[in-house]
Amino acid sequence: MYSRSSEPVHFERDCEAVMVPQGDTVTLPAGSYGYITQALGGSYTVFVEGNLFRIAGKDGDAIGKEAPAPLELPDDASDEQVEQLVWQQLRTCFDPEIPFNIVDLGLVYEVELKHLDDGRREVDVKMTLTAPGCGMGDILVDDVRSKLEIIPTVAEADVELVFDPPWGRHMMSESARLETGML
C-alpha cells in the first residue's frame, strides 16, 4: 500500500495494467498520477486513485522506467545453463501484494526441460498459489510463462497450476519466513 517512501509517478501514455488482487485488465490513461509501492522483478505495483495495479516491465516507459535488458545465452548453451537461467527468471516473478519471489515463497513445485525436434527447448513448470482463490493466479502464470519464453533457446513454457500438495508456509525459504516473521 502507499507509504511515504512510495515513489510518485506520472503516466506519460495510456498504459495497460492489471488490477490487484482482482486480476482484471484495464487501461490507465495518460496524465494519471500514482505511487510505486513495489518495484520487483521488472514489474511495478502502483497505487492510483485508491487502487493497486500491476504494470509489466515492458510498459515501464509509461511511468518513466526503462524496460528490462534482453537475456543473453550462448547458442550452444547446455541444459544446466538454461535451467540456471530458468530459475533466475522464476526469481523475478513476484506476487504484486507480497514482496517475495515465487521461488522463495515455495510456489514452484517442479521445473523440467524438454528438447524439441528443432533443437529448441520447452520448459514445463508446476506451481501453486498461496490461496486457491487468488485473483492474481492467471496473472502470475502468464508472468512465469512470458519470462521463461524470452530465454534464448526456449520455444515455449507450459505452466501448470496445481493445488496438491496445498501450499503452506513451511514451503517458504528460511529467509522469506524470517522476513515475514513466519518462523
Side-chain angles (χ1 to χ4, degrees):
M1 198 54 76
Y2 167 76
S3 72
R4 290 183 179 184
S5 63
S6 298
E7 179 185 345
V9 293
H10 174 255
F11 284 80
E12 299 170 12
R13 64 169 176 83
D14 289 355
C15 181
E16 186 176 283
V18 176
M19 286 189 81
V20 176
Q22 299 90 333
D24 298 330
T25 301
V26 299
T27 299
L28 296 174
S32 297
Y33 287 92
Y35 297 89
I36 297 175
T37 62
Q38 180 172 290
L40 298 168
S43 64
Y44 306 92
T45 302
V46 296
F47 182 76
V48 177
E49 295 183 8
N51 294 294
L52 287 176
F53 299 91
R54 181 178 177 274
I55 308 294
K58 67 179 178 58
D59 290 319
D61 66 304
I63 55 173
K65 302 295 181 185
E66 289 188 29
L71 298 175
E72 294 183 15
L73 198 61
D75 292 336
D76 62 344
S78 68
D79 285 348
E80 287 177 9
Q81 289 172 301
V82 174
E83 187 170 348
Q84 213 171 23
L85 193 50
V86 165
W87 284 101
Q88 180 182 318
Q89 283 294 94
L90 289 171
R91 283 183 172 85
T92 69
C93 297
F94 287 81
D95 183 306
E97 297 176 292
I98 306 171
F100 296 100
N101 68 67
I102 63 172
V103 175
D104 286 338
L105 280 173
L107 300 180
V108 179
Y109 288 170
E110 182 180 305
V111 171
E112 183 182 356
L113 290 180
K114 295 179 182 176
H115 287 268
L116 301 175
D117 293 338
D118 64 2
R120 296 185 300 161
R121 294 172 175 93
E122 175 183 318
V123 180
D124 294 339
V125 175
K126 287 187 181 177
M127 65 175 285
T128 194
L129 304 172
T130 56
C134 175
M136 295 302 292
D138 290 340
I139 304 307
L140 283 172
V141 167
D142 287 342
D143 192 33
V144 168
R145 183 180 298 110
S146 65
K147 287 189 175 184
L148 295 180
E149 288 180 348
I150 62 172
I151 296 174
T153 80
V154 172
E156 69 180 276
D158 181 30
V159 182
E160 182 182 356
L161 205 51
V162 297
F163 296 101
D164 188 30
W167 179 86
R169 66 181 180 204
H170 67 281
M171 296 172 162
M172 296 169 69
S173 70
E174 187 175 335
S175 64
R177 286 193 311 256
L178 183 63
E179 283 191 54
T180 59
M182 294 183 172
L183 275 177

